[in-house]
Amino acid sequence: MNVPQSAKMELQAIEEKFKEFENCWTETNQKVVEIECLINWYKSFKAAYHGLFVELQRRVHIEATVTQKVAEYRKTLNDKFEKEIQERNKFNSRAIKYLPPAFHGLLSMSPLKYEIFPTENVSMLAGLKEDDELFAGIESERETACSSTLNSAPSPSSKEYIKKRTTTL
């Protein structure tokens, strides 16, 4: 079959344009994927900041709970210590004069006293409380700021974007 030279040249030009199109298409799809990754990256910032406030509230609550329990345990220990001193004094006042002097030193000793204290000198959350200004109202302010920033950027999936691009080409 004899194909005119002009048709061969036209076909070759079309093939070159098609290769250019494929390269451009591939490059565009790579950019779309990169943009989607960036969108997800910035959405992760929003999630991280939301998580930060939730985590800080959780830590403040736990520290307050533990501090309350420690205060209760300290009171219980001190009460038991004082009661033991009273019991020992009562026994000593009744019986020590009838026992050999070798036991007087042993019977006069105070009971062991225990204390509960933190292993760190300063609380990480020393300035924070559950009702602190840090938590009051900041949630809605942060939500508004983050959502307006993220809503202004499009977030199509690559398949949807490619489908739209294909229909417009």
Side-chain angles (χ1 to χ4, degrees), residues 63-122:
E63 188 167 309
T65 302
V66 168
T67 301
Q68 179 185 359
K69 289 290 183 191
V70 166
E72 291 170 9
Y73 295 154
R74 282 181 179 151
K75 182 175 178 357
T76 301
L77 287 173
N78 286 336
D79 290 349
K80 288 188 179 290
F81 180 78
E82 292 300 322
K83 186 175 180 183
E84 178 61 16
I85 287 178
Q86 290 172 0
E87 290 295 321
R88 288 181 182 204
N89 287 340
K90 192 168 27 170
F91 175 81
N92 287 347
S93 67
R94 250 188 359 249
I96 200 165
K97 59 187 167 194
Y98 303 108
L99 297 171
F103 290 113
H104 290 193
L106 179 67
L107 293 173
S108 297
M109 290 177 60
S110 293
L112 288 177
K113 184 170 185 171
Y114 293 91
E115 293 183 13
I116 301 173
F117 56 91
T119 58
E120 300 292 323
N121 289 337
V122 178

Side-chain angles (χ1 to χ4, degrees), residues 21 25 28 160-169:
F21 171 76
W25 182 261
T28 301
E160 289 174 357
Y161 182 78
I162 291 170
K163 190 179 210 181
K164 289 176 187 174
R165 291 283 294 158
T166 306
T167 56
T168 59
L169 290 176

Side-chain angles (χ1 to χ4, degrees), residues 5-18:
Q5 185 64 23
S6 62
K8 284 183 181 178
M9 289 175 60
E10 192 66 30
L11 189 58
Q12 194 173 29
I14 289 172
E15 286 177 353
E16 286 177 18
K17 291 289 182 188
F18 186 74

